[in-house]
Amino acid sequence: MSIGRQWISDHIPHKGNMLLLDCVERWDDEQILCVASSHRSTSNPLRAGGRLGAICGVEYAAQAMAVHDALVRTKEGGEPQRSGAGYLASVRELCMEITRLDDIEGDLAVSATRLAAHSSLLYSFVISTDRRMLVKGRIIIFVAAQQEVP
């Protein structure tokens, strides 16, 4: 059963054109597979000079991680959104087999595997199309504690 764009929008901070994912095709406690077509959109906010560089795949993967975290938290009875903001802390072992995403004709398959989840989230990811690996790596997201407002 696919989880659609509306559920994603309701459970992660990204909205409008900045929400890059179309749906979740499948997920479990450790992995998620999302589909995206926004790389072909001329209104993609990550485009620069009319092009969408392969490095933008990191944002696609980070959004898949956020969706996975929300799904796991909801399943475990927690709040679907973390109370603190998430910040990209590290990208490691980044491998880009292409230079651009916007000229990829097919939909992107964005898969992420959770390696650790505490005060930060550690995932490995692969972005592919038609079984061709485009971008892969590991991402750490630091989750800040919610600040009290006086």
Side-chain angles (χ1 to χ4, degrees):
M1 181 173 131
S2 178
I3 295 169
R5 187 173 172 86
Q6 185 61 54
W7 191 97
I8 296 170
S9 178
D10 290 344
H11 292 86
I12 69 172
H14 307 83
K15 306 294 180 226
N17 287 345
M18 197 54 209
L19 177 56
L20 302 175
L21 305 174
D22 295 329
C23 68
V24 176
E25 281 204 351
R26 65 179 179 271
W27 71 280
D28 61 29
D29 289 345
E30 302 303 320
Q31 300 180 62
I32 191 167
L33 174 62
C34 299
V35 175
S37 60
S38 61
H39 62 290
R40 295 186 303 262
S41 173
T42 57
S43 63
N44 186 312
L46 299 179
R47 280 184 178 244
R51 297 177 177 213
L52 184 67
I55 191 68
C56 296
V58 171
E59 178 61 26
Y60 281 81
Q63 287 190 22
M65 293 167 53
V67 173
H68 184 258
D69 186 56
L71 286 164
V72 170
R73 292 170 63 77
T74 301
K75 178 184 171 191
E76 293 173 350
E79 292 295 320
Q81 289 189 355
R82 289 186 176 265
S83 57
Y87 299 96
L88 183 68
S90 174
V91 178
R92 303 280 183 170
E93 298 176 8
L94 185 63
C95 177
M96 297 179 290
E97 296 291 326
I98 55 168
T99 57
R100 296 170 56 182
L101 290 173
D102 59 293
D103 59 0
I104 301 298
E105 291 181 16
D107 288 347
L108 301 179
V110 184
S111 64
T113 302
R114 183 174 64 178
L115 305 173
H118 300 289
S119 60
S120 61
L121 305 172
L122 171 61
Y123 281 77
S124 63
F125 73 91
V126 175
I127 299 174
S128 60
T129 188
D130 298 322
R131 299 184 187 205
R132 175 181 166 215
M133 193 280 291
L134 305 173
V135 182
K136 70 178 182 176
R138 287 185 303 137
I139 296 175
I140 297 175
I141 300 290
F142 172 74
V143 181
Q146 184 176 16
Q147 295 181 358
E148 293 291 323
V149 178

Coordinates of all heavy atoms in Angstrom, one line a residue, residues 74-133:
T74 N 5.4 7.1 14.4 CA 4.0 6.9 14.5 C 3.6 5.5 14.9 O 2.8 5.2 15.7 CB 3.4 7.3 13.1 OG1 3.7 8.7 12.9 CG2 1.9 7.1 13.2
K75 N 4.3 4.5 14.3 CA 4.1 3.1 14.5 C 4.4 2.8 16.0 O 3.7 2.0 16.6 CB 5.0 2.2 13.6 CG 4.9 0.8 13.9 CD 5.8 0.0 13.0 CE 5.8 -1.5 13.5 NZ 6.9 -2.2 12.9
E76 N 5.4 3.4 16.6 CA 5.8 3.2 18.0 C 5.0 4.0 18.9 O 5.2 3.9 20.1 CB 7.3 3.5 18.1 CG 8.2 2.5 17.4 CD 9.6 2.9 17.4 OE1 10.0 4.0 17.9 OE2 10.5 2.1 16.9
G77 N 3.9 4.7 18.4 CA 3.1 5.5 19.3 C 3.6 6.8 19.7 O 3.0 7.5 20.5
G78 N 4.7 7.3 19.1 CA 5.2 8.6 19.4 C 4.6 9.6 18.5 O 3.8 9.4 17.7
E79 N 5.1 10.9 18.7 CA 4.7 12.0 17.9 C 5.3 11.8 16.5 O 6.5 11.4 16.4 CB 5.2 13.3 18.4 CG 4.5 13.7 19.7 CD 3.0 13.9 19.5 OE1 2.6 14.5 18.5 OE2 2.2 13.5 20.4
P80 N 4.5 11.9 15.4 CA 5.1 11.7 14.1 C 6.2 12.7 13.7 O 7.1 12.3 12.9 CB 3.9 11.9 13.2 CG 2.8 12.5 14.0 CD 3.1 12.3 15.4
Q81 N 6.2 13.9 14.2 CA 7.3 14.8 14.0 C 8.1 15.0 15.2 O 7.6 15.1 16.3 CB 6.7 16.2 13.5 CG 6.1 16.2 12.2 CD 5.8 17.6 11.7 OE1 5.9 18.6 12.4 NE2 5.4 17.7 10.5
R82 N 9.4 15.0 15.0 CA 10.3 15.3 16.2 C 10.1 16.7 16.6 O 9.8 17.6 15.9 CB 11.7 15.1 15.8 CG 12.1 13.6 15.6 CD 13.5 13.4 15.3 NE 13.8 12.0 15.2 CZ 14.3 11.3 16.2 NH1 14.4 11.8 17.4 NH2 14.5 10.0 16.0
S83 N 10.2 17.0 17.9 CA 10.0 18.3 18.5 C 11.1 19.3 18.1 O 10.9 20.5 18.0 CB 9.9 18.2 20.0 OG 11.0 17.6 20.6
G84 N 12.3 18.8 17.9 CA 13.4 19.7 17.5 C 13.7 19.6 16.0 O 13.3 18.7 15.3
A85 N 14.3 20.7 15.5 CA 14.6 20.7 14.1 C 15.7 19.8 13.7 O 16.6 19.5 14.6 CB 15.0 22.1 13.7
G86 N 15.7 19.3 12.5 CA 16.8 18.4 12.0 C 17.8 19.2 11.2 O 17.4 20.0 10.4
Y87 N 19.1 19.0 11.4 CA 20.1 19.7 10.6 C 21.0 18.7 10.0 O 21.5 17.7 10.7 CB 20.9 20.6 11.6 CG 20.1 21.6 12.2 CD1 19.6 21.4 13.5 CD2 19.8 22.8 11.6 CE1 18.8 22.4 14.1 CE2 19.0 23.8 12.2 CZ 18.5 23.6 13.5 OH 17.7 24.5 14.1
L88 N 21.3 18.9 8.7 CA 22.3 18.0 8.0 C 23.6 18.2 8.7 O 24.2 19.3 8.7 CB 22.3 18.4 6.6 CG 23.2 17.5 5.7 CD1 22.6 16.1 5.6 CD2 23.4 18.1 4.3
A89 N 24.1 17.1 9.3 CA 25.4 17.2 10.0 C 26.6 16.7 9.2 O 27.7 17.2 9.3 CB 25.3 16.4 11.3
S90 N 26.3 15.7 8.4 CA 27.4 15.0 7.7 C 26.9 14.2 6.5 O 25.9 13.6 6.6 CB 28.2 14.1 8.6 OG 29.2 13.4 8.0
V91 N 27.7 14.3 5.4 CA 27.4 13.4 4.2 C 28.8 12.7 4.0 O 29.8 13.4 3.9 CB 27.0 14.2 3.0 CG1 26.8 13.3 1.8 CG2 25.7 15.0 3.3
R92 N 28.7 11.4 4.0 CA 29.9 10.6 3.8 C 29.8 9.6 2.7 O 28.7 9.3 2.3 CB 30.2 9.8 5.1 CG 30.4 10.6 6.4 CD 31.7 11.2 6.4 NE 31.8 11.9 7.7 CZ 32.9 12.4 8.2 NH1 34.0 12.2 7.5 NH2 33.0 13.0 9.3
E93 N 30.9 9.2 2.1 CA 31.0 8.2 1.1 C 30.0 8.5 -0.1 O 29.4 7.7 -0.6 CB 30.7 6.8 1.7 CG 31.7 6.4 2.7 CD 31.3 5.1 3.4 OE1 30.4 4.4 2.9 OE2 32.0 4.7 4.3
L94 N 29.9 9.8 -0.4 CA 29.0 10.3 -1.5 C 29.6 9.9 -2.8 O 30.8 10.1 -3.1 CB 28.9 11.8 -1.4 CG 27.9 12.4 -2.4 CD1 26.5 11.8 -2.2 CD2 27.9 13.9 -2.3
C95 N 28.8 9.2 -3.6 CA 29.2 8.7 -4.9 C 28.1 9.2 -5.9 O 27.0 8.7 -5.8 CB 29.4 7.2 -4.9 SG 29.8 6.6 -6.6
M96 N 28.5 10.0 -6.9 CA 27.6 10.4 -7.9 C 28.0 9.9 -9.2 O 29.1 10.3 -9.7 CB 27.5 12.0 -7.9 CG 27.0 12.5 -6.6 SD 26.9 14.3 -6.5 CE 28.6 14.8 -6.5
E97 N 27.2 9.1 -9.8 CA 27.5 8.5 -11.1 C 27.1 9.4 -12.3 O 27.4 9.0 -13.4 CB 26.8 7.1 -11.3 CG 27.3 6.1 -10.2 CD 28.8 5.6 -10.5 OE1 29.2 5.6 -11.7 OE2 29.5 5.4 -9.5
I98 N 26.4 10.5 -12.0 CA 25.9 11.4 -13.0 C 26.3 12.8 -12.5 O 26.7 13.0 -11.3 CB 24.4 11.3 -13.2 CG1 23.7 11.4 -11.8 CG2 24.0 9.9 -13.8 CD1 22.2 11.6 -11.9
T99 N 26.1 13.8 -13.4 CA 26.3 15.2 -12.9 C 25.0 15.9 -12.7 O 24.9 16.9 -12.0 CB 27.1 16.0 -14.0 OG1 26.5 15.9 -15.2 CG2 28.5 15.4 -14.1
R100 N 23.9 15.4 -13.4 CA 22.6 16.1 -13.3 C 21.5 15.1 -13.0 O 21.5 14.0 -13.5 CB 22.3 16.8 -14.6 CG 23.2 17.9 -14.9 CD 23.1 18.5 -16.3 NE 21.7 18.9 -16.6 CZ 21.3 19.4 -17.8 NH1 22.1 19.4 -18.8 NH2 20.0 19.8 -17.9
L101 N 20.4 15.6 -12.3 CA 19.2 14.8 -12.1 C 18.1 15.2 -13.1 O 17.3 14.3 -13.4 CB 18.7 14.9 -10.7 CG 19.5 14.3 -9.6 CD1 19.0 14.7 -8.2 CD2 19.6 12.8 -9.8
D102 N 18.1 16.4 -13.5 CA 17.0 16.9 -14.3 C 16.9 16.2 -15.7 O 15.8 16.3 -16.3 CB 17.0 18.4 -14.5 CG 18.3 18.9 -15.1 OD1 19.4 18.8 -14.5 OD2 18.2 19.4 -16.3
D103 N 17.9 15.6 -16.2 CA 17.8 15.0 -17.5 C 17.6 13.5 -17.4 O 17.6 12.8 -18.4 CB 19.1 15.3 -18.4 CG 20.4 14.9 -17.7 OD1 20.3 14.3 -16.6 OD2 21.4 15.1 -18.3
I104 N 17.3 13.0 -16.2 CA 16.9 11.6 -16.0 C 15.4 11.5 -16.4 O 14.6 12.2 -15.8 CB 17.1 11.2 -14.5 CG1 18.6 11.3 -14.2 CG2 16.6 9.7 -14.3 CD1 19.6 10.5 -15.0
E105 N 15.1 10.6 -17.3 CA 13.7 10.5 -17.8 C 12.8 9.8 -16.9 O 11.6 10.2 -16.7 CB 13.7 9.8 -19.2 CG 14.3 10.7 -20.3 CD 14.3 10.0 -21.6 OE1 13.5 9.0 -21.8 OE2 15.0 10.4 -22.5
G106 N 13.2 8.8 -16.2 CA 12.3 8.0 -15.4 C 12.2 8.6 -14.0 O 12.9 9.5 -13.6
D107 N 11.3 8.0 -13.2 CA 11.1 8.5 -11.8 C 12.4 8.0 -11.0 O 13.0 7.0 -11.4 CB 9.9 7.8 -11.2 CG 8.6 8.4 -11.7 OD1 8.7 9.5 -12.3 OD2 7.5 7.8 -11.5
L108 N 12.6 8.7 -9.9 CA 13.7 8.4 -9.0 C 13.2 7.4 -8.0 O 12.2 7.7 -7.4 CB 14.3 9.6 -8.4 CG 14.9 10.7 -9.3 CD1 15.4 11.9 -8.4 CD2 16.0 10.2 -10.2
A109 N 14.0 6.4 -7.7 CA 13.7 5.5 -6.6 C 14.7 5.9 -5.5 O 15.9 5.9 -5.7 CB 13.9 4.0 -7.0
V110 N 14.2 6.4 -4.4 CA 15.0 6.9 -3.3 C 14.9 6.0 -2.1 O 13.8 5.9 -1.5 CB 14.5 8.3 -2.9 CG1 15.4 8.9 -1.8 CG2 14.5 9.3 -4.1
S111 N 15.9 5.2 -1.9 CA 15.9 4.2 -0.8 C 16.8 4.6 0.3 O 17.9 5.2 0.0 CB 16.2 2.8 -1.3 OG 17.5 2.7 -1.8
A112 N 16.4 4.4 1.5 CA 17.3 4.7 2.7 C 17.2 3.6 3.7 O 16.1 3.1 3.9 CB 16.8 6.1 3.3
T113 N 18.3 3.3 4.3 CA 18.3 2.3 5.4 C 18.9 2.9 6.7 O 20.0 3.5 6.7 CB 19.3 1.2 4.9 OG1 18.8 0.6 3.7 CG2 19.3 0.1 6.0
R114 N 18.1 2.8 7.7 CA 18.5 3.4 9.0 C 19.6 2.5 9.6 O 19.4 1.3 9.8 CB 17.3 3.5 9.9 CG 17.6 4.1 11.3 CD 16.4 4.3 12.1 NE 15.8 3.0 12.5 CZ 14.8 2.8 13.2 NH1 14.1 3.9 13.7 NH2 14.3 1.6 13.5
L115 N 20.6 3.2 10.0 CA 21.8 2.5 10.6 C 21.8 2.8 12.1 O 22.3 2.0 12.9 CB 23.1 2.9 10.0 CG 23.2 2.7 8.5 CD1 24.4 3.3 7.9 CD2 23.0 1.2 8.1
A116 N 21.3 4.0 12.5 CA 21.2 4.4 13.9 C 20.2 5.5 14.1 O 20.1 6.3 13.2 CB 22.6 4.8 14.5
A117 N 19.6 5.6 15.3 CA 18.6 6.6 15.5 C 18.6 6.9 17.0 O 18.1 6.1 17.8 CB 17.2 6.3 15.0
H118 N 19.2 8.0 17.4 CA 19.2 8.5 18.8 C 18.9 10.0 18.8 O 17.9 10.4 18.3 CB 20.5 8.1 19.5 CG 20.7 6.6 19.5 ND1 20.0 5.8 20.3 CD2 21.6 5.8 18.8 CE1 20.4 4.5 20.1 NE2 21.3 4.5 19.2
S119 N 19.9 10.8 19.2 CA 19.8 12.2 19.1 C 20.2 12.7 17.7 O 20.0 13.8 17.3 CB 20.7 12.9 20.1 OG 22.0 12.5 19.9
S120 N 20.7 11.7 16.9 CA 20.9 12.0 15.5 C 20.4 10.7 14.7 O 20.2 9.7 15.3 CB 22.4 12.3 15.3 OG 23.2 11.2 15.6
L121 N 20.3 10.9 13.4 CA 19.8 9.8 12.6 C 20.9 9.5 11.6 O 21.5 10.5 11.0 CB 18.6 10.3 11.8 CG 17.4 10.7 12.6 CD1 16.3 11.3 11.7 CD2 16.8 9.6 13.5
L122 N 21.3 8.3 11.5 CA 22.3 7.9 10.5 C 21.7 6.9 9.5 O 21.1 5.9 9.9 CB 23.5 7.2 11.2 CG 24.5 6.5 10.3 CD1 25.2 7.5 9.4 CD2 25.5 5.8 11.2
Y123 N 21.7 7.2 8.2 CA 21.2 6.4 7.2 C 22.2 6.3 6.0 O 22.9 7.2 5.8 CB 19.9 7.1 6.6 CG 18.7 7.0 7.4 CD1 18.4 7.7 8.5 CD2 17.6 6.1 7.0 CE1 17.2 7.6 9.2 CE2 16.5 6.0 7.7 CZ 16.3 6.8 8.8 OH 15.1 6.7 9.5
S124 N 22.1 5.1 5.4 CA 22.7 5.0 4.1 C 21.6 5.2 3.0 O 20.4 4.9 3.3 CB 23.4 3.7 3.9 OG 22.5 2.6 4.0
F125 N 21.9 5.6 1.8 CA 20.9 5.9 0.8 C 21.4 5.5 -0.6 O 22.6 5.6 -0.8 CB 20.4 7.3 0.9 CG 21.3 8.3 0.3 CD1 21.3 8.7 -1.0 CD2 22.3 8.9 1.1 CE1 22.2 9.6 -1.5 CE2 23.2 9.9 0.6 CZ 23.1 10.2 -0.7
V126 N 20.5 5.2 -1.4 CA 20.8 5.0 -2.8 C 19.6 5.6 -3.6 O 18.4 5.4 -3.3 CB 20.9 3.5 -3.2 CG1 21.0 3.3 -4.7 CG2 22.0 2.8 -2.4
I127 N 20.0 6.4 -4.6 CA 19.0 7.0 -5.6 C 19.3 6.3 -6.9 O 20.4 6.3 -7.4 CB 19.1 8.5 -5.7 CG1 18.8 9.1 -4.3 CG2 18.1 9.0 -6.7 CD1 19.0 10.6 -4.2
S128 N 18.2 5.7 -7.5 CA 18.4 5.0 -8.7 C 17.2 5.2 -9.6 O 16.2 5.8 -9.2 CB 18.6 3.5 -8.5 OG 17.4 3.0 -7.8
T129 N 17.4 4.8 -10.9 CA 16.3 4.8 -11.8 C 16.5 3.6 -12.7 O 17.6 3.3 -13.2 CB 16.2 6.1 -12.6 OG1 15.0 6.1 -13.4 CG2 17.4 6.3 -13.5
D130 N 15.4 2.9 -13.0 CA 15.5 1.7 -13.8 C 16.7 0.8 -13.5 O 17.4 0.4 -14.3 CB 15.5 2.1 -15.3 CG 14.3 2.9 -15.7 OD1 13.2 2.5 -15.3 OD2 14.4 3.8 -16.5
R131 N 16.8 0.6 -12.1 CA 17.9 -0.2 -11.6 C 19.3 0.3 -11.9 O 20.3 -0.4 -11.7 CB 17.8 -1.7 -12.1 CG 16.5 -2.3 -11.7 CD 16.4 -3.7 -12.1 NE 15.1 -4.2 -11.8 CZ 14.8 -5.4 -11.6 NH1 15.8 -6.3 -11.6 NH2 13.6 -5.8 -11.3
R132 N 19.4 1.6 -12.2 CA 20.7 2.2 -12.5 C 21.0 3.1 -11.3 O 20.3 4.0 -11.0 CB 20.7 3.0 -13.8 CG 22.0 3.8 -14.0 CD 21.8 4.6 -15.3 NE 22.9 5.6 -15.4 CZ 22.7 6.8 -15.9 NH1 21.6 7.1 -16.5 NH2 23.7 7.6 -15.9
M133 N 22.1 2.9 -10.6 CA 22.5 3.7 -9.4 C 22.9 5.1 -9.9 O 23.8 5.2 -10.8 CB 23.6 3.0 -8.6 CG 23.8 3.6 -7.2 SD 24.8 5.1 -7.2 CE 26.4 4.6 -7.6

